[in-house]
Each structure stands twice: as C-alpha cells, then as structure tokens.
Amino acid sequence: MLFMVEMIVQIPQSLDADLVAKIKLEEKEYSQKLQREGKWRHLWRVVGEYANVSIFDAASNDELHTMLSSLPLFPYMQIKVTPLANHPSSIVQE
C-alpha cells in the first residue's frame, strides 16, 4: 500500500545542540535504511520549511505507523498521512 506522508519538524530551540545533532544523524541513517529497503520510496524537501513530502510503501497501516513512530525525530514532528490508490488514467499501475 502506498501512502503520502507530509512531515513538519519542530525541534524546540531549548534542546541541547549536541543532542539535536545526534538525533539528526540517527534520523538520516534510519531514513536511508528504509529507502534502501524500498519502504521509503520518495523523499522531497518542502522549499523554505523544515518539512518533507514522502511516499512510503507499507503492507499495512500498522507497519507504516511503526516506521513513522520509529523515526528519531518523531517526537518533534507533525505528520499527515494520506493513503493512495491507483488512478484509472495513469499509464503506470503500482
């Protein structure tokens, strides 16, 4: 199942800079692992914001929830999930 996931990151300015750097490094490693596994299909930055729009491929809502809630930045994110379906006019069917 494909999902469009919109993420807005809001790290408190009061958070220790070294801790933020550590969390960001862990986030990068985990997100790239999911990309290599084919679970995180697309990742786009939203220009001018600390935000992204992504396409995830998960077997279920529960699998997607587990992936998202395992993101190191998850406690600092606003997340919107939209399930996707094939469009009848698309020449590519997933």
Side-chain angles (χ1 to χ4, degrees):
M1 298 171 57
L2 297 179
F3 298 88
M4 179 178 69
V5 180
E6 299 170 77
M7 300 179 219
I8 299 172
V9 182
Q10 299 172 317
I11 299 173
Q13 290 184 340
S14 60
L15 211 56
D16 177 72
D18 290 336
L19 177 59
V20 171
K22 179 181 179 289
I23 292 169
K24 286 180 178 181
L25 180 61
E26 291 171 354
E27 180 84 8
K28 183 175 184 176
E29 291 171 355
Y30 181 62
S31 69
Q32 289 180 347
K33 174 185 175 289
L34 291 176
Q35 289 173 69
R36 284 189 291 276
E37 292 173 354
K39 297 292 185 179
W40 195 325
R41 294 263 195 105
H42 299 279
L43 172 58
W44 295 280
R45 175 178 294 182
V46 177
V47 175
E49 297 180 30
Y50 193 172
N52 73 72
V53 175
S54 297
I55 303 296
F56 280 81
D57 189 353
S60 66
N61 293 336
D62 290 331
E63 181 185 25
L64 179 64
H65 180 78
T66 297
M67 283 188 276
L68 296 177
S69 62
S70 297
L71 290 166
L73 285 171
F74 180 77
Y76 312 106
M77 290 181 174
Q78 289 182 348
I79 298 176
K80 178 182 174 190
V81 175
T82 304
L84 301 174
N86 289 325
H87 193 286
S89 296
S90 175
I91 61 171
V92 177
Q93 298 296 314
E94 296 272 342

